[in-house]
Amino acid sequence: SSSMAVHDPKLILSTRPLYPKLAKESNVQGTVVVLAEVDASGNVAGTKALSGPPLLRQAAVDAVRHWKYDPAIINGKPAAAQVMVNINFRLNQ
């Protein structure tokens, strides 16, 4: 039945990460995969960098921490859920 519908958190507000100075000076670019724990209020309660250049991981995590989501809906109620986010760092963007 439709009351069992599950939907993932939907991103409603994101901020671009700050490009770390050291990474820029070292010409490091790439994609950081962040696992974000989104609580039932749509706030990011926890973050973990799963992969990507070490010099870029902290900046990616710091950015995602401030993102805002429409929470996941499970059985008609807001619920905590995990989402995977790809943060791309490109020089000269």
Side-chain angles (χ1 to χ4, degrees):
S1 76
S2 61
S3 68
M4 294 296 291
V6 172
H7 87 68
D8 289 334
K10 289 189 180 68
L11 184 62
I12 50 177
L13 181 70
S14 67
T15 49
R16 283 202 61 78
L18 293 170
Y19 214 119
K21 191 167 181 285
L22 185 58
K24 222 174 220 176
E25 287 165 356
S26 312
N27 284 318
V28 173
Q29 49 185 358
T31 302
V32 179
V33 179
V34 177
L35 181 66
E37 188 78 50
V38 180
D39 67 18
S41 305
N43 297 309
V44 176
T47 48
K48 184 181 180 193
L50 301 181
S51 66
L55 280 177
L56 299 173
R57 290 185 183 197
Q58 191 60 49
V61 160
D62 288 346
V64 173
R65 236 176 234 147
H66 297 106
W67 290 10
K68 191 79 175 121
Y69 285 85
D70 266 338
I73 301 291
I74 299 172
N75 295 338
K77 296 188 187 69
Q82 291 184 326
V83 288
M84 300 264 273
V85 185
N86 292 333
I87 310 282
N88 300 308
F89 290 87
R90 296 282 175 269
L91 293 160
N92 310 318
Q93 52 191 4

